[in-house]
Amino acid sequence: MKNYHPANLSPAQIERLQQLEHEFAELTGEPLILIAYASRNGKTASSSSVQSTSTLE
């Protein structure tokens, strides 16, 4: 992921991301973590380039 770096999110955006994690975890029945990256060149990532990573505790 050379063209991306961790997104600079506000506390409200982080809270929303955590809400989405919870919602998706309920849908899938597995705990998961959503990770936000921003493009280094300022372009918006397409939905096809978004990846999810699930972790089991």
Side-chain angles (χ1 to χ4, degrees), residues 34-47:
L34 299 177
I35 302 172
Y37 285 97
S39 173
R40 289 190 190 271
N41 61 12
K43 293 182 181 177
T44 304
S46 67
S47 59

Side-chain angles (χ1 to χ4, degrees), residues 6-25:
N8 184 18
L9 301 177
S10 71
Q13 291 169 319
I14 292 170
E15 183 177 331
R16 180 62 180 135
L17 189 62
Q18 290 170 333
Q19 290 171 351
L20 289 169
E21 286 175 339
H22 180 74
E23 290 174 28
F24 285 122

Side-chain angles (χ1 to χ4, degrees), residues 25-36:
E26 286 183 348
L27 288 172
T28 63
E30 297 183 46
L32 58 91
I33 297 172
L34 299 177
I35 302 172

Side-chain angles (χ1 to χ4, degrees), residues 4 43-51:
Y4 296 90
K43 293 182 181 177
T44 304
S46 67
S47 59
S48 63
S49 67
V50 175
Q51 298 179 5

